[in-house]
Amino acid sequence: SLASQTFHQSGGAQAKHALTITDDDQATLAFAAATSTTTNESTARTVAVTLTLPTGAALASSVSVDVTDAGSGSAVSGADYTAFGTQTATFAASSTSGSTQTVTLTPRADLLLEGNETVALQLGKPQGASAVGTQTAHVVTIADSNQASLAFLNATSAPAAERTASIATVHLTTSTAET
């Protein structure tokens, strides 16, 4: 503590000195993982943001970071998932290292056979005594709930003559309907 120190001055014109103490106990906010996957197109996915502090430290005041849709995934906002907008992860005063806050991505179910799609999220605009860490991007994969299969209705077929056309019937089955 500087309060318990004794300073002596002898001679010279320098009567004052400014001392700057740099606070290096800054909070770091980052995604807990680089990727995650939804269970299906109907189930929301929470994404964790983690607080990292120096050993033994706790927040003196709250800190927060914005999570936004980077717009670079293959899923379409408003069609494949509810528009994400900006969600803020806030850590209250006295939070400790390893604490997490979550944001939620909500997929929208559809009947399209489109395969898995992705949503890219990003961290930005840290508030309070905080900075973003190294894991500033997170990709959520929306698992397509719709599947399809093809099957021949008959295992074998034979034309009546060599030059006669044969017809094979194929059956398409999807998880949402049969055609």
Side-chain angles (χ1 to χ4, degrees):
S1 162
L2 292 177
S4 64
Q5 301 297 316
T6 304
F7 296 94
H8 297 283
Q9 178 183 347
S10 61
Q14 184 78 26
K16 293 183 180 181
H17 177 77
L19 175 66
T20 302
I21 300 173
T22 303
D23 182 3
D24 62 354
D25 294 339
Q26 190 173 43
T28 302
L29 305 168
F31 284 116
T35 63
S36 63
T37 303
T38 64
T39 306
N40 54 46
E41 291 176 313
S42 301
T43 305
R45 178 69 185 172
T46 57
V47 177
V49 176
T50 302
L51 169 68
T52 302
L53 294 167
T55 303
L59 288 176
S61 59
S62 67
V63 297
S64 63
V65 66
D66 287 345
V67 182
T68 57
D69 183 345
S72 57
S74 60
V76 177
S77 178
D80 295 314
Y81 61 99
T82 302
F84 191 78
T86 298
Q87 295 185 33
T88 302
T90 301
F91 295 84
S94 77
S95 294
T96 57
S97 193
S99 297
T100 60
Q101 293 293 321
T102 59
V103 296
T104 303
L105 177 80
T106 306
R108 288 185 156 175
D110 59 33
L111 301 177
L112 301 174
L113 297 170
E114 56 198 349
N116 294 344
E117 297 174 293
T118 60
V119 179
L121 302 178
Q122 65 186 8
L123 295 180
K125 297 184 182 177
Q127 300 291 315
S130 65
V132 292
T134 56
Q135 190 60 56
T136 61
H138 182 91
V139 176
V140 178
T141 300
I142 300 173
D144 190 4
S145 301
N146 306 311
Q147 305 296 319
S149 64
L150 293 173
F152 289 100
L153 289 181
N154 298 319
T156 61
S157 65
E162 277 185 34
R163 296 182 185 251
T164 305
S166 181
I167 298 176
T169 304
V170 178
H171 187 76
L172 169 65
T173 302
T174 68
S175 56
T176 57
E178 290 191 16
T179 305

